[in-house]
Amino acid sequence: MDQITHWINGALDTSKPERSGDIYNPATGKTTKSVAFGNAATVDRAVNAATIAFAEWRHSSLTKRTQVLFAFRELVAQNKERIAALITDEHGKVLSDAAGEVTRGLEVVEFACGIPHLLKGGFSEEVSTGVDVYSIRQALGPVAIISPFNFPAMVPMWFFPVAIACGNTVIVKPSEKDPSAAMFMAKLWKEAGLPDGVFNVVHGDKEVVDALLTHKGIKSISFVGSTPIARYVYETGTKAGKRVQALGGAKNHMVVLPDADLELAADAAINAGFGSAGERCMAISAIVAVEPIASALVARIKSRMANIKTGDGTQGSDMGPLVTAVHRDKVASYIEAGAKAGATLVVDGRALEIAGDGFWLGPTLFDHVTPDMSIYKEEIFGPVLSVLRVNTYDEALALVNSHEYGNGTAIFTNDGGAARRYQNEVEVGMVGINVPIPVPMAYYSFGGWKNSLFGDSHAHGTEGVHFFTRGKVVTSRWLDPSHGGINLGFPQND
Ligand code: NAD
């Protein structure tokens, strides 16, 4: 069985782990690999390597950084299928989804290739006679990235290309459930010519996260995961004096107005609700149908659900298994709770039968869900869609705005004025208009509001550049050579 270990200073860590974790193939339920769990000593070794590497990397020219980023971009693109296969093997999502996340990550690398432009400062000449003021942005030092299981390639790539391009050195702590994509990319960085110690990977659970949050050598924390852990990471990291961006959970609403194209809305509900088995922070999990279209919409979604092929992600399926047996059972318990609470169970995913021990659960649809039910209040993070029926736009808006999460939302309508009002009034960080999953492009920043993000910086885009650098303003006065400088033929003072 493969043993995955840490990547420190451009090499695999050979120390014997005190603890390790199992990695499963979710489609078979079998344990396939084991991952070493690090501790404070592991983090210390990684921080030492990153600190030594920082002394040189921060002085690498913008040209050199861009060349390495371009080379890395090419290597990731060439190896997209191999990275996707590693993701499907450990996460379970279908291969096309896995390849799609690598593509989204690559877009951030491409964005970071423009770092010479992104790091340009400002300059004001003659703020006082003979005095100029200019601004520069400088790297922070070693920075940590702690990522969730659901996007093992894309989420670390939201951060590390920008961090490295800005001159920082990086320690990634991937999810212990699917750490292989990060390891593969570590090797690609080395092949791309990144100096050893600039990109490191440590594995583990709370113990290693706590060591990163409190280590004096770590200057910032970029975290993505569930809301309770995001809050904890934010509070602990900021208390230790670090800058922290901690992206948390979600409950994304899709509002369907009565004038919407219901075929388009139903297609979107299927893609956004069940893609990646609902294990996406931008998945739609609550559909707010503004009457009188709810029954017509539910009928369309139900009929499309019959065509979703759930199965092994390597076999041309539409939807794969859930990540672990524990998570599958948790999602199934929400279905039980929703039915008990009185919601109408239109399609029950628990009825799905697939031979073997894979972590299967079929797509599920609830109608007549009310705001007091746990299936609406809490993040389920599985293939479960809930339809809530309301009578007006204002009721729909109030529902979305009173939810604790504010990551993403979509509105379906043919009325541009209604869409414009929604984008203005909704308290959510990312808004889609007639699009199912409003994931911004790499050059915009990604992040939610309310309990979906702690800290004030979103990921990548210019906010990412800002997060991974600190500003410095220089006020300078250079006396004219006539004041005793080198003799350039100007008249000299006595
Ligand atoms: P998680 O919170 O369980 O784990 C995230 C990371 O934190 C992992 O690296 C894990 O090892 C570590 N961790 C887990 N428990 C910890 C603890 N007690 N102390 C310190 N560290 C701990 O999240 P997950 O299950 O891996 O991922 C799913 C969650 O991530 C969902 O809630 C989803 O909405 C969220 N997510 C959010 C975004 C976003 O952009 N807002 C993107 C992707 C995923």
Side-chain angles (χ1 to χ4, degrees):
M1 197 164 64
D2 282 354
Q3 163 85 44
I4 296 168
T5 182
H6 320 288
W7 178 266
I8 297 174
N9 206 22
L12 291 169
D13 185 67
T14 49
S15 63
K16 199 172 158 22
E18 284 169 5
R19 295 189 301 128
S20 55
D22 288 338
I23 297 171
Y24 303 95
N25 179 333
T28 62
K30 298 215 168 17
T31 310
T32 51
K33 299 168 202 159
S34 154
V35 58
F37 280 9
N39 52 24
T42 323
V43 167
D44 213 33
R45 284 200 297 284
V47 176
N48 280 342
T51 305
I52 292 167
F54 178 64
E56 280 201 26
W57 184 246
R58 69 183 290 253
H59 292 301
S60 59
S61 70
L62 292 171
T63 311
K64 159 88 179 163
R65 291 184 216 169
T66 311
Q67 280 165 355
V68 174
L69 281 158
F70 263 111
F72 179 71
R73 191 256 166 231
E74 289 305 291
L75 287 167
V76 174
Q78 283 160 21
N79 286 282
K80 191 195 285 187
E81 305 307 323
R82 287 178 73 188
I83 300 172
L86 287 173
I87 295 170
T88 298
D89 194 50
E90 296 176 356
H91 174 287
K93 66 175 73 174
V94 301
L95 279 173
S96 55
D97 265 348
E101 79 159 277
V102 180
T103 303
R104 294 315 298 254
L106 268 177
E107 289 166 3
V108 182
V109 184
E110 287 158 5
F111 168 78
C113 286
I115 198 66
H117 180 72
L118 294 163
L119 277 186
K120 284 197 306 199
F123 194 100
S124 303
E125 195 179 29
E126 301 286 13
V127 294
S128 184
T129 306
V131 176
D132 305 325
V133 173
Y134 51 96
S135 66
I136 48 185
R137 296 205 69 85
Q138 295 188 323
L140 306 177
V143 300
I145 295 161
I146 302 162
S147 57
F149 80 83
N150 67 320
F151 284 110
M154 182 187 78
V155 166
M157 285 165 102
W158 280 350
F159 305 102
F160 67 63
V162 180
I164 289 173
C166 289
N168 301 283
T169 53
V170 164
I171 299 170
V172 177
K173 204 303 279 178
S175 167
E176 63 276 32
K177 296 187 178 88
D178 45 17
S180 290
M183 293 302 285
F184 194 90
M185 290 191 285
K187 290 172 190 154
L188 296 186
W189 272 123
K190 193 173 171 95
E191 210 181 321
L194 190 72
D196 291 346
V198 178
F199 185 84
N200 306 278
V201 185
V202 297
H203 300 287
D205 55 5
K206 179 172 169 50
E207 188 176 348
V208 87
V209 171
D210 283 344
L212 288 167
L213 294 178
T214 50
H215 197 294
K216 285 197 166 49
I218 299 274
K219 301 303 173 197
S220 76
I221 305 283
S222 300
F223 172 90
V224 181
S226 58
T227 286
I229 313 294
R231 185 183 281 116
Y232 167 77
V233 163
Y234 182 75
E235 288 172 0
T236 314
T238 50
K239 202 167 164 194
K242 304 182 195 317
R243 71 173 62 174
V244 182
Q245 48 180 183
L247 284 69
K251 191 83 187 176
N252 302 318
H253 295 70
M254 177 171 133
V255 173
V256 184
L257 295 188
D259 70 326
D261 179 331
L262 293 188
E263 305 299 335
L264 186 71
D267 284 342
I270 297 289
N271 291 334
F274 305 124
S276 221
E279 291 170 328
R280 285 179 180 147
C281 62
M282 290 298 273
I284 292 292
S285 52
I287 296 179
V288 186
V290 181
E291 294 291 23
I293 49 89
S295 295
L297 181 64
V298 168
R300 282 168 173 76
I301 296 172
K302 184 183 173 192
S303 76
R304 284 163 169 78
M305 286 173 73
N307 300 326
I308 297 175
K309 189 175 155 219
T310 306
D312 189 325
T314 62
Q315 304 297 319
S317 315
D318 301 316
M319 189 177 107
L322 293 183
V323 68
T324 58
V326 172
H327 187 55
R328 186 262 323 273
D329 294 345
K330 185 178 164 203
V331 176
S333 76
Y334 272 108
I335 302 177
E336 182 72 27
K340 264 205 186 125
T344 309
L345 190 48
V346 181
V347 181
D348 185 350
R350 294 171 301 179
L352 175 79
E353 282 182 20
I354 294 181
D357 298 321
F359 311 138
W360 302 110
L361 189 66
T364 297
L365 180 64
F366 278 109
D367 193 4
H368 297 286
V369 174
T370 52
D372 55 312
M373 295 178 182
S374 65
I375 54 168
Y376 175 69
K377 286 193 294 198
E378 294 163 28
E379 179 183 42
I380 300 176
F381 219 55
V384 181
L385 265 182
S386 295
V387 176
L388 294 93
R389 296 174 174 232
V390 299
N391 290 313
T392 63
Y393 164 87
D394 284 338
E395 265 182 78
L397 179 74
L399 204 53
V400 182
N401 281 353
S402 53
H403 207 284
E404 67 166 304
Y405 295 112
N407 210 41
T409 184
I411 187 165
F412 280 75
T413 177
N414 282 315
D415 183 332
R420 188 170 183 278
R421 229 176 105 177
Y422 188 70
Q423 79 180 30
N424 176 267
E425 294 175 338
V426 75
E427 290 172 25
V428 172
M430 293 170 281
V431 182
I433 297 172
N434 295 321
V435 297
I437 301 189
V439 179
M441 299 304 293
Y443 33 91
Y444 285 88
S445 299
F446 183 106
W449 287 13
K450 300 193 280 190
N451 281 350
S452 295
L453 187 139
F454 302 89
D456 39 25
S457 266
H458 291 193
H460 60 71
T462 47
E463 287 193 44
V465 176
H466 199 268
F467 182 81
F468 285 117
T469 52
R470 49 187 172 168
K472 191 180 264 180
V473 176
V474 182
T475 306
S476 83
R477 174 163 60 194
W478 288 104
L479 297 184
D480 190 86
S482 60
H483 287 263
I486 56 168
N487 189 350
L488 295 174
F490 297 105
Q492 299 286 304
N493 284 351
D494 288 337

